[in-house]
Amino acid sequence: MAEIVDFKIIGDDRGSLISLENLNNIPFEVKRVYYIFDTKEGVRRGFHSHKNLKQLLVCVKGSCVILLDDGINRENVTLCEPNRGLFIGANIWHEMYNFSNDCVLLVLADDFYDETDYIRDYNKFLKTII
Ligand code: T46
């Protein structure tokens, strides 16, 4: 279920750089970027699926775990490398947890924020995937 995207690190003796490009190493056109940081101890976020939104999550600093649930199978993916992204398409229930104190979770999305695209009730989510 987990679709991992590996990014090329462009490194030299000054350090490392990663470039993200629409429809090149990002599998969609990016309309929105947001990032989650300064998460509190033991917090769990997410608890929703999206009706249409496609997203790519990259933990650019620290680490966190993403639970993916397609209504049949569940999978937990640890994100801890800035050169590794996790694609989450529509209709995947997801939760984020085990954030390290220094975690910065960068998210690229193919559309603007729209609360009507969220399904925040797990039983409603299960009904949508039948
Ligand atoms: C997702 C996971 C990975 C906005 O106003 N604009 C935005 O672009 C976003 C993403 C959120 N918000 C508001 C909506 C809420 O009042 O920020 C507040 C926190 O959002 P939420 O509780 O949905 O945050 P998470 O961390 O549970 O989920 C977020 C994204 O919302 C969601 O699309 O897939 O990260």
Side-chain angles (χ1 to χ4, degrees), residues 58-65 77-84 100:
V58 186
C59 197
V60 292
K61 190 165 175 62
S63 62
C64 64
V65 182
V77 181
T78 299
L79 291 180
C80 56
E81 292 156 294
N83 61 317
R84 179 155 285 203
S100 61

Side-chain angles (χ1 to χ4, degrees), residues 32-34 36 44-50 53 55 57 66 88 94 96 99 105 107 111-115 118 120:
R32 177 167 53 110
V33 176
Y34 61 92
I36 295 169
R44 204 167 171 110
R45 305 181 62 119
F47 297 96
H48 61 258
S49 63
H50 284 284
L53 193 70
Q55 302 191 101
L57 282 60
I66 316 293
I88 305 183
H94 51 282
M96 302 90 81
F99 291 93
L105 180 63
V107 184
D111 212 345
F112 301 121
Y113 172 70
D114 175 7
E115 187 58 38
Y118 287 70
R120 293 189 184 270

